[in-house]
Amino acid sequence: MKALRVLNNNVVLASDERDQPVILTGRGLGFSSHQGKPVDPALIERVFVPADDRGSGPADDPDRLAEALALISEEILEAVVTALGDVGIEGRESTRPTLAIAVADHVAGALDRAARGIVIEYPLRAEVQTLYATEYAQAQLLLQAVNEHVTPQLEASEATPLALHLVNAGFVSGDLSFTYTMTGVVQQMLAVIRERYGLDVSHENMGVARFITHVRYLFVRIQQRRQLTGHESTIGKGIRLYYPEATRTAQQLATIVELRLERRLSEDEVSYLALHVARMTMEADATAV
């Protein structure tokens, strides 16, 4: 690998054997690296590979990511990367820089607050536990693993933002604000369904769990500009004809998405929302019998 840019003593932006940009980290790596010259492989501890653009959205900017990594201490970065691997969140994909950077940056801030005795209670804790139960459980394990490598210990409340970072890793954008917005929109959707049908919308309800999963993938499609076909398909038409009441509810849900995200849902996306609403109401009716 050849050095393209030395960011600091521990971070170097380089090109690999395919002439693709990679970010290298290692203690003292920057000392012995010079632009245009081969990098000493013995000093490389981690290789981060910025995502390329395969049609799914904008590519990661290697320069920006390298600069972000250069601002994080080697000790914290090592603790986070090790913890991600220990709990199985990142295995062979631990070369992705965006999640490691986001988590390490958060941990660095949390450690600074902990050292100063500042405790933050995150207002979205209940929503995160409900909507992202899997990521919240992973975040609790991640927090325990991080605490094995850092001082002072982080508070249990830090599992909430860590879970949001794990959720956010599924999107093209690294902007956590999109995940916050998604969380609010899903809560609004569930509130509409609860008020219209008097349904139990807790995540223990299987129909609700399926609905939440569907909406999360819908948000991924919105973010990647890959909504289901913009023209109403035969299946979509059938759903709308067979479930008119659920379709009206789905159109209301689509309006919430449009107002919050400024993205209009395709007819098929509305139809599949209607299908999930209909399934929830039918399952509730079957349970009540």
Side-chain angles (χ1 to χ4, degrees), residues 15-287:
S15 60
D16 62 14
E17 60 277 2
R18 296 179 300 166
D19 205 30
Q20 298 298 310
V22 292
I23 303 168
L24 311 177
T25 68
R27 296 181 187 277
L29 181 63
F31 278 126
S32 63
S33 299
H34 304 280
Q35 186 174 356
K37 301 294 183 181
V39 178
D40 184 353
L43 297 176
I44 300 173
E45 296 181 10
R46 281 174 295 276
V47 179
F48 291 102
V49 183
D52 59 11
D53 185 358
R54 295 190 176 97
S56 61
D60 289 339
D61 180 351
D63 284 286
R64 178 181 60 81
L65 293 174
E67 289 172 357
L69 267 177
L71 295 175
I72 301 170
S73 76
E74 181 67 15
E75 292 76 15
I76 291 176
L77 180 61
E78 182 176 351
V80 167
V81 171
T82 300
L84 287 169
D86 287 347
V87 300
I89 293 173
E90 291 278 86
R92 61 180 181 84
E93 295 182 321
S94 61
T95 56
R96 296 185 303 172
T98 47
L99 179 58
I101 291 171
V103 173
D105 182 64
H106 177 81
V107 168
L111 286 171
D112 179 67
R113 291 191 296 272
R116 291 185 287 158
I118 300 173
V119 178
I120 295 179
E121 284 298 328
Y122 295 95
L124 288 176
R125 180 179 179 182
E127 288 85 348
V128 171
Q129 286 181 289
T130 299
L131 300 180
Y132 316 124
T134 298
E135 286 86 356
Y136 188 80
Q138 289 179 319
Q140 289 179 306
L141 294 175
L142 177 60
L143 180 60
Q144 293 174 13
V146 168
N147 275 337
E148 292 178 4
H149 302 283
V150 300
T151 302
Q153 300 285 279
L154 300 181
E155 296 289 334
S157 59
E158 295 296 338
T160 297
L162 289 178
L164 287 171
H165 281 297
L166 297 180
V167 173
N168 197 55
F171 296 106
V172 172
S173 170
D175 185 2
L176 196 60
S177 65
F178 189 82
T179 300
Y180 281 113
T181 300
M182 178 181 72
T183 303
V185 172
V186 175
Q187 286 293 91
Q188 281 186 270
M189 287 179 160
L190 291 175
V192 168
I193 294 169
R194 181 182 62 245
E195 292 169 8
R196 174 161 291 191
Y197 300 101
L199 297 179
D200 170 22
V201 294
S202 61
H203 71 282
E204 289 85 1
N205 181 304
M206 186 59 67
V208 173
R210 284 196 296 263
F211 174 81
I212 292 172
T213 298
H214 174 80
V215 172
R216 288 182 59 177
Y217 281 108
L218 166 61
F219 271 75
V220 172
R221 292 193 294 274
I222 290 173
Q223 184 74 346
Q224 296 180 352
R225 300 183 184 277
R226 289 185 170 186
Q227 286 193 52
L228 299 176
T229 177
H231 301 287
E232 193 176 22
S233 68
T234 301
I235 294 176
K237 288 180 181 178
I239 293 171
R240 294 162 73 86
L241 288 173
Y242 200 75
Y243 303 114
E245 176 60 28
T247 296
R248 284 190 286 272
T249 302
Q251 289 169 335
Q252 185 177 351
L253 304 182
T255 299
I256 294 173
V257 174
E258 185 173 353
L259 291 173
R260 293 291 299 274
L261 296 181
E262 299 181 349
R263 301 279 182 85
R264 185 177 182 83
L265 294 189
S266 70
E267 293 295 331
D268 275 355
E269 292 289 6
V270 175
S271 295
Y272 282 105
L273 280 176
L275 180 60
H276 279 278
V277 171
R279 289 178 69 177
M280 280 191 282
T281 59
M282 288 187 295
E283 287 174 2
D285 290 343
T287 303

